[in-house]
Amino acid sequence: MTATFSFDLKATDGKARTGVINTPRGDIRTPAFMPVGTAATVKAMMPESVAATGADILLGNTYHLMLRPTAERIDRLGGLHQFMNWDKPILTDSGGFQVMSLSDLRKLTEEGVTFKSHIDGSRHHLTPERSMEIQKLLGSDIVMCFDECPALPADRKRIQESMELSMRWAQRSRDAFGDRPGHALFGIQQGGLEEDLRGRSAEALRAIEFDGYAVGGLAVGEGQEAMFKVLDFAPDQLPVDKPRYLMGVGKPDDIVGAVKRGIDMMDCVLPSRSGRTGQAFTRRGVVNIKNARHADDPRPLDAECTCPACSNYSRAYLHHVFRAQEMISGMLLTWHNLHYFQEIMAGMRTAIAAGAFADWEADFHAGRAKGDI
Ligand SMILES: CNc1nc2c(CCNC[C@]34C[C@H]5C[C@H](C[C@H](C5)C3)C4)c3nc(N)[nH]c(=O)c3cc2[nH]1
């Protein structure tokens, strides 16, 4: 807990790093996985359960909250932390990514993005300035620049023009963010899969100066191999002494590969969203609990896991409550998946601090079967 925002790099092992981000609302151990709280809730989880999984920070959702119940109402009610009963750090995305993926009838100009709400069809206008205002009203501890994330595949000209627009929006975001001690503003690198464009983007962001830097524009359909190729150079283009946040990633092996390449923070809907559909991530691979072969299985999901689902219930029970569509099904599997993702992060933090990341990574990959187990 500090009055200001700072990043303390503790140890490195190859390109992998471990450290602590100090914020007034609490410390964030890195590498960190950030669960996603879409509409002011991590679906199927109480906030104290999210904390119990080991999460130090969670994601709020600018796009959803600006539409319902609106940022102004959350501000009047004391801000997002009080509203959702989470007193640790919250990072909010800037809203642009979701506009492009969720809303219809959207129009992109130099000024910003105009779109119709997917909830009630009302018209909205998002600009760097409005995005900073919304994230400030929410009370977010880590604010993301308003950017444009182009869908891949896209031609180089489109990628370049989009990156250059995002860099102009990054300057406007910085100017509108103002001076908020203890709160951070993160820039977002764009440039698709192009090393030179990403280099120019990183230079533009460095010149503006941010408290942290995100690698944006990835996990948009390029595939793991292409993503890792970008991650082989992109983190090194960013300041070494600031946190590096890879947006929207990912599956367990994506996360491990990203940390190996110098990433400090990640977020993904996967563990919570797939938990609700019956997909469990375990140290031996993925279990689809709705599969009939689990109906009589008295064993836990993962005998080595200490989460409530694995400590107190059989696969047969989890199979039953999913088939019966009981609410506890999503609760138990979401808790398990978030617990497992945090275990991966804790394992990497310890291994990097001990200079044993390579051994940890070998053990991580050795245990994983392909397909359903
Ligand atoms: C999945 N791949 C991917 N995601 C990406 C995101 C969103 C990160 N998650 C935040 C988010 C997004 C949605 C879903 C939840 C809640 C809320 C709305 C905030 C996580 C991104 N966000 C921004 N601003 N810029 C990107 O380039 C970007 C690239 C991504 N590539």
Side-chain angles (χ1 to χ4, degrees):
M1 295 273 214
T2 62
T4 59
F5 179 94
S6 63
F7 180 45
D8 180 12
L9 198 50
K10 300 260 189 225
T12 60
D13 185 348
K15 285 188 171 184
R17 303 133 52 99
T18 184
V20 178
I21 301 173
N22 302 291
T23 84
R25 278 206 172 85
D27 297 343
I28 303 158
R29 297 162 290 178
T30 68
F33 179 80
M34 303 183 283
V36 165
T38 298
T41 155
V42 177
K43 289 183 177 15
M45 295 286 285
M46 299 284 284
E48 46 270 40
S49 308
V50 176
T53 65
D56 293 333
I57 176 172
L58 62 74
L59 246 72
N61 179 350
T62 301
Y63 173 79
H64 272 259
L65 295 172
M66 70 179 273
L67 299 179
R68 179 178 58 193
T70 75
E72 283 73 11
R73 171 168 288 146
I74 290 179
D75 177 46
R76 287 197 302 272
L77 292 162
L80 187 54
H81 292 83
Q82 187 169 334
F83 191 56
M84 69 181 290
N85 187 29
W86 173 265
D87 63 2
K88 296 170 186 276
I90 293 176
L91 181 150
T92 48
D93 199 356
S94 47
F97 178 79
Q98 268 228 301
V99 168
M100 303 317 277
S101 53
L102 263 192
S103 64
D104 49 14
L105 276 193
R106 53 191 183 268
K107 188 162 167 289
L108 176 69
T109 67
E110 180 69 33
E111 178 63 15
V113 184
T114 303
F115 62 97
K116 280 179 70 174
S117 159
H118 72 290
I119 295 173
D120 61 11
S122 54
R123 293 177 63 74
H124 294 265
H125 190 51
L126 252 188
T127 63
E129 293 77 16
R130 175 63 180 146
S131 177
M132 293 303 110
E133 183 186 29
I134 289 169
Q135 295 180 76
K136 183 173 185 175
L137 286 167
L138 295 176
S140 166
D141 302 286
I142 301 179
V143 169
M144 300 308 292
C145 276
F146 187 67
D147 67 330
E148 206 240 332
C149 171
L152 293 183
D155 64 35
R156 183 183 159 87
K157 184 170 176 297
R158 163 93 178 90
I159 297 285
Q160 178 169 343
E161 285 170 356
S162 172
M163 180 273 284
E164 289 166 350
L165 173 64
S166 287
M167 295 306 101
R168 293 193 294 275
W169 283 358
Q171 183 63 65
R172 284 170 55 188
S173 297
R174 166 51 83 200
D175 295 344
F177 180 78
D179 181 27
R180 297 182 64 208
H183 296 82
L185 177 65
F186 278 25
I188 305 176
Q189 182 197 46
Q190 294 293 349
L193 309 180
E194 313 288 327
E195 183 166 1
D196 61 335
L197 296 182
R198 284 202 172 265
R200 271 192 246 159
S201 177
E203 285 319 304
L205 295 177
R206 280 174 185 271
I208 300 169
E209 281 192 37
F210 290 100
D211 305 298
Y213 295 80
V215 178
L218 292 177
V220 285
E222 74 280 1
Q224 185 184 81
E225 188 183 346
M227 181 175 78
F228 281 172
K229 269 177 72 176
V230 173
L231 292 178
D232 283 338
F233 63 78
D236 293 326
Q237 296 173 321
L238 302 172
V240 67
D241 60 340
K242 303 287 186 197
R244 296 156 176 172
Y245 165 24
L246 175 59
M247 304 189 85
V249 173
K251 299 193 305 306
D253 51 336
D254 295 333
I255 288 171
V256 173
V259 168
K260 181 178 183 177
R261 291 166 173 83
I263 293 297
D264 304 306
M265 304 159 72
M266 280 158 283
D267 84 278
C268 192
V269 296
L270 187 65
S272 36
R273 185 173 292 170
S274 57
R276 295 194 301 279
T277 67
Q279 184 173 57
F281 291 90
T282 77
R283 52 184 48 74
R284 291 185 50 249
V286 171
V287 175
N288 289 303
I289 200 63
K290 289 196 273 197
N291 188 306
R293 59 195 193 78
H294 301 298
D296 292 297
D297 191 337
R299 297 173 306 160
L301 201 50
D302 180 345
E304 296 170 61
C305 180
T306 59
C307 86
C310 295
S311 306
N312 307 314
Y313 301 93
S314 64
R315 286 180 179 214
Y317 178 77
L318 294 170
H319 174 79
H320 161 67
V321 290
F322 263 98
R323 283 295 178 98
Q325 297 185 316
E326 288 294 337
M327 288 188 218
I328 194 171
S329 61
M331 293 163 66
L332 286 173
L333 230 43
T334 299
W335 193 322
H336 166 78
N337 282 346
L338 291 177
H339 175 99
Y340 175 58
F341 272 52
Q342 293 301 338
E343 282 223 322
I344 293 171
M345 307 318 289
M348 290 195 284
R349 293 193 292 261
T350 303
I352 295 164
F357 182 78
D359 293 344
W360 183 93
E361 186 194 13
D363 178 63
F364 169 82
H365 285 296
R368 311 182 71 73
K370 293 285 166 261
D372 197 359
I373 52 170

